[in-house]
Amino acid sequence: MTPEQVIALKFSTDFCSLGISLTRFLLTRQQSKDRYGRGANICLLLACLGNTMGTALTVVVMMQERRSLTKFHGDVKKADMELLLAGKAFFFAHLSYYMALCALKGAYLAFYAQIFIRTQVRQWFAWSTGCVIWAMAFLIAFLLNFFWCRPIEDNWSLNAMANPHCPLLLRYNLFTALAVINIITDLVIFTIPMLVLRSLQLRKTEKWGLFGIFMVGSISILASLLRFGLVGRRIRDAQYTWDTMHLYVVLSHLEVFFGIVAFALPTFRVGFRKVMNKFTGSTMGGTGGTGGMGGTGGMGGTGGGTGGSRHRRAEIELFDSYNDSTKELRIATTETEAHIAAGGSSAHLGALR
């Protein structure tokens, strides 16, 4: 990929993830007033901010690559020699990526707590264990990021390769340790909801919907595994090139992006159902109003279209529609009678009745 393609990919997916997160917040603002709901929203916001910061810093890295290519007239091998000129921006972009991952997985855990409360599923031991693993894993990851290479300035020094521990992003042992920590937390986040689904009775369509959500979430895990395999092999073989950086940046970004999408998808399903219920209720309300006026449907019969608790909202709207129509007719009749009393035309009242 060219630097311009990497930037375009990151900006487009950032725009989508921000839009998805904002939509989720608007759809769940009434149901997210408890501490777990607020925690999930705050963590999701931090994940988006970390991802956006990483994108901004990646732009700096890609601009340095473009300058190097221009300087050496497109000679890629010579341009690769200036990889460490972007070391500082790349280091902080890497930290932003880890902040986004940590916050996103915290959002998942808060969301799972909401599910446990609403479904009354007693899986708090598994959830608490997941929280401990998440906290310990990212604490270790951040300590490694800050203290593996000392002094920290050697992460972006042009003489960094003289230090056997620096720069940390090009050291295979550290890269492997961070990747393993990340994959472990991925598996924990993926496993906890399975304990809930096992105890729920779901229709076939709901099972397929949840299967689709898990498939999207598995893309995030796949991106993490690909980064570990592809980028790790290049670092092990000392292929310190701009292409290696492209792979690292793109796969890391896709992991966060698909994690955000999978997190928001259940909310979109609920929002879509609300919109459809509102549309269905409005349509049936109009039909029920006609039936009530004609005297054939009544409030709970065929004119209303449906009955029962599943369409209680539609019946309420139907009742309001019927009352509004009756009220308008009563007002119109009263006004016409008053007009006749004042000397108006009686033909108009006869026509109205």
Side-chain angles (χ1 to χ4, degrees), residues 13-14 17-18 21 39-55 95-108 252-253 255-257 259-261 263:
T13 51
D14 269 356
S17 60
L18 287 172
S21 301
N41 285 333
I42 291 172
C43 287
L44 183 60
L45 174 62
L46 290 175
C48 291
L49 287 176
N51 205 26
T52 303
M53 287 173 54
T55 297
L95 290 182
S96 298
Y97 152 73
Y98 257 90
M99 185 186 83
L101 272 183
C102 177
L104 180 60
K105 293 176 183 181
Y108 271 97
S252 299
H253 187 74
E255 179 181 4
V256 177
F257 172 69
I260 292 174
V261 172
F263 181 74

Side-chain angles (χ1 to χ4, degrees), residues 4-22:
E4 292 78 12
Q5 289 173 333
V6 173
I7 293 173
L9 174 65
K10 287 182 71 65
F11 270 116
S12 59
T13 51
D14 269 356
F15 180 79
C16 291
S17 60
L18 287 172
I20 288 170
S21 301
L22 178 60

